[in-house]
Amino acid sequence: MSKAALEKLQATFGDAILETHSDCGDDTALVKAESWKPICEFLRKDPQLDFDYLVDLCGVDYPERAAQKQRIEVVLHLCSIGKRHRLRLKARVGSGEDEELEGAEIDSVTSIWPGANWFERETYDMLGVTFRGHPDMRRILMYPEFVGHPLLKTYPAQRTQPLVAYRTEEEAGVPLEKQAPFGDDEGLAFPRNDHDRDAEDPRTKLNPHKTEAI
Amino acid sequence: MEPLDLELEEGELELPSEPMHLNMGPAHPAMHGTVRCVLELSGETIVKADVQIGYLHRGFEKMCERGTWAQVFPYADRLNYVSPMLNNVGYALAVEKLCGIEVPERCQWYRMALGELARISDHLTCTGAMAMELGAFTPFLWFVKARDMIWDILEEETGARLTHSFGRIGGMAAPPTAAFKELCKGSLPQVLHLMEEGEAMLLKNRIFLDRLEGVGTISGADAVALSWTGPCLRASGIPYDVRRVYPYLKYDEVDFDVPVGKNGDNLDRFLVRLQELRQSMRIIAQVLDRMADDGPVNAYAPGVMLPEKHDVYTTIEATIQHFKLVMEGAKVPKGEVYSYTEGGNGELGFYLVSDGSGTPYRVRIRPPCYPITGGLQKLITGAMLSDIIPTFGSLNMIGGECDH
């Protein structure tokens, strides 16, 4: 690891670098979220630093920091294959109680390292951080109908997700009698009562058209 | 009289066609059951591709936040289920880095030997499966037979063939068995022999070579930009191997080469894996020479390691210690750490955040084949439909790891 990278960052960006440490030998810089992209561009382009390899990008949720608008910590690990040094870059974004995140947005670095694409999608999927300028901000590990972001500390581990509703006739373009042959009980042999609390959610209302058709 | 179409461009001769959409996977046999490719085809050429993963997502990271630090080991086994020992060791090293523990020399050699055995089984599976997906079933059986010999050794050592859960924070679950060196010395030449037989069947096969050579090519710079590591990156000519560049355990004390490819195509990825198998065997031979036959395996770290079983049954102090370690978990110092090792597919990283309690605050895994699978779209766009099979096979995507 290289202390030089940290010193150079501090000399160049000054106030934008909030904190640095080298615990366990990992050089770390906490930076302002607004300067996230300029700093990344600098790290990539500077000939002495030359961080050409994005190792990892992930997020950590700290609900107790929500009041300071620093709830989600976006963590970026960088490495330079030629220069053989590494750096960890962090920025804190977002506020909000429970699962309603507000302002959890940060610039995407996919234009600097194309490999960030899937890592940013995963961070969005798991923690709800939106990356501005990302070409394809979709969920990646979860399905599109998933409600919430599972790696938030406020997401209960035992929560059951609402069942995915049938597609309507218009949406699927298939007549109802040709769609999946399950009734309101989703084809289960026993009734599932776990979803009562999500009763308001229109998506849990299973296939209103089906009964009409029959 | 000259034919009329001489003046026409070649493209104009093609009949105009509607693009066709094709779903490949997740139930396609060559997609390992866990990846779905949505393709837009023009004829047989892929115009657009969307690679979708997540079919094997089991919430590894969320599960880790609910148990103790030691309870992560069984989950780590199930990440890359072809080389579980490498995950075990990788996670153990990460927690040890956070705790500041260094394991005794004998344990380091032991971890290297087991890790290299796991790497052999990983590469054998990948190359064998790749050959099978291209229709060469016999070499697959050769390779799996060789892999079974590796698993026999691992079974003898750990008691399990696949999910060993053998790593511990500060050591291993058990010291090497008395027969370990004998077993390795007996089996490895046979493994090499089987591998060479399989290799000879493939590398003279015109059909096999034609489907690999020049297909799925990626340059070194592109591979780095896509965060590729491991054999796939080295096949593009970048000699980046964590074991060499950032040596951990005792990798700086053994002799081995880092094989690199030239063209970054499927054939190079295949050949790099075969060469790495030989290097792993070379490393194991040296490790066996240098690993002591006796001496401690576990570090002296009472706050983390379980006490000896004999003491637990005979002294109250050890009983209490055992109880607290099992019920509350080892207290890992507050802080964050990123530790990385060379897994079967490349850099396997663990980013751990501890709040000082017995439960991890955050366990983040950096699966090596996640960014590699992310690059698949780039490799197959513009290629032929049938090129997906060897290209996807050569990336060695492991569902458990990629989908967390």
Side-chain angles (χ1 to χ4, degrees), chain B residues 90-155:
Chain B
Y91 174 71
L93 285 171
V95 185
E96 283 158 16
K97 188 173 169 188
L98 193 50
C99 295
I101 300 172
E102 196 178 344
V103 294
E105 273 201 5
R106 187 167 176 229
C107 182
Q108 299 195 16
W109 290 116
Y110 190 40
R111 282 179 173 181
M112 270 171 77
L114 291 178
E116 292 306 319
L117 285 172
R119 192 184 317 278
I120 293 177
S121 97
D122 186 281
H123 285 1
L124 282 172
T125 314
C126 171
T127 45
M130 187 177 163
M132 183 186 68
E133 281 158 10
L134 296 179
F137 200 83
T138 315
F140 173 70
L141 296 178
W142 258 246
F143 283 147
V144 167
K145 192 175 167 193
R147 184 182 73 172
D148 243 41
M149 292 177 173
I150 302 287
W151 283 0
D152 282 342
I153 304 177
L154 289 172
E155 187 184 14

Side-chain angles (χ1 to χ4, degrees), chain A residues 4-145:
Chain A
L6 283 184
E7 281 157 18
K8 192 151 189 180
L9 264 185
Q10 269 169 331
T12 319
F13 289 95
D15 286 348
I17 314 294
L18 301 173
E19 239 179 78
T20 58
H21 73 74
S22 301
D23 294 350
C24 299
D26 298 353
D27 291 323
T28 309
L30 177 68
V31 305
K32 278 188 183 159
E34 303 86 63
S35 348
W36 182 251
K37 199 165 177 188
I39 289 176
C40 287
E41 262 164 5
F42 171 75
L43 289 172
R44 174 71 187 89
K45 297 218 173 105
D46 187 87
Q48 269 140 38
L49 300 177
D50 189 27
F51 283 103
D52 50 358
Y53 159 42
L54 178 139
V55 181
D56 188 24
L57 193 149
C58 65
V60 189
D61 180 23
Y62 297 95
E64 68 278 5
R65 289 189 195 147
Q68 299 101 28
K69 296 193 174 166
Q70 299 185 337
R71 180 165 167 183
I72 310 282
E73 195 166 87
V74 180
V75 186
L76 176 66
H77 288 95
L78 295 172
C79 173
S80 166
I81 288 195
K83 301 279 188 295
R84 296 194 176 188
H85 51 224
R86 286 180 176 250
L87 182 72
R88 180 190 299 141
L89 212 59
K90 304 198 287 186
R92 293 173 182 166
V93 289
S95 59
E97 295 290 307
D98 298 334
E99 289 179 55
E100 296 301 318
L101 289 180
E102 284 158 30
E105 277 190 15
I106 197 163
D107 284 325
S108 164
V109 293
T110 35
S111 54
I112 308 169
W113 296 283
N117 188 324
W118 275 25
F119 287 123
E120 289 183 350
R121 276 177 70 185
E122 188 192 351
T123 311
Y124 163 71
D125 190 359
M126 293 288 135
L127 290 140
V129 182
T130 315
F131 290 85
R132 282 186 295 256
H134 189 283
D136 185 20
M137 198 85 264
R138 281 183 295 158
R139 284 186 183 273
I140 185 162
L141 295 174
M142 294 302 178
Y143 46 95
E145 293 87 357

Side-chain angles (χ1 to χ4, degrees), chain B residues 219-387:
Chain B
S219 72
D222 282 350
V224 172
L226 285 170
S227 302
W228 283 26
T229 45
C232 294
L233 175 65
R234 293 192 282 274
S236 300
I238 311 275
Y240 175 78
D241 186 325
V242 180
R243 292 174 293 173
R244 172 57 54 82
V245 182
Y246 302 99
Y248 54 98
L249 296 174
K250 294 277 183 191
Y251 279 109
D252 47 346
E253 293 181 25
V254 292
D255 247 4
F256 66 100
D257 297 327
V258 178
V260 289
K262 213 162 78 183
N263 307 320
D265 57 0
N266 290 338
L267 184 64
D268 276 3
R269 287 193 276 275
F270 183 78
L271 292 175
V272 162
R273 284 212 172 80
L274 289 177
Q275 289 308 316
E276 281 190 10
L277 284 168
R278 294 187 168 84
Q279 297 304 324
S280 288
M281 290 181 191
R282 217 173 126 193
I283 294 174
I284 293 175
Q286 296 173 51
V287 170
L288 294 182
D289 281 345
R290 299 192 56 179
M291 188 170 78
D293 282 327
D294 45 14
V297 165
N298 294 337
Y300 179 73
V304 178
M305 289 295 293
L306 287 177
E308 291 286 326
K309 260 288 178 282
H310 177 263
D311 296 341
V312 175
Y313 289 136
T314 50
T315 65
I316 184 68
E317 292 82 1
T319 313
I320 293 170
Q321 190 193 349
H322 184 102
F323 178 81
K324 287 191 76 92
L325 275 177
V326 171
M327 297 308 288
E328 293 170 8
K331 300 278 189 293
V332 169
K334 202 171 173 175
E336 54 181 347
V337 76
Y338 180 75
S339 160
Y340 44 101
T341 54
E342 181 76 17
N345 287 326
E347 177 172 332
L348 171 74
F350 284 96
Y351 172 62
L352 308 176
V353 181
S354 169
D355 56 356
S357 73
T359 307
Y361 189 79
R362 177 89 161 91
V363 177
R364 156 76 185 171
I365 180 202
R366 187 249 185 230
C369 66
Y370 185 80
I372 292 177
T373 316
L376 178 63
Q377 182 191 5
K378 188 179 159 69
L379 287 193
I380 60 176
T381 307
M384 303 288 274
L385 180 61
S386 58
D387 291 343

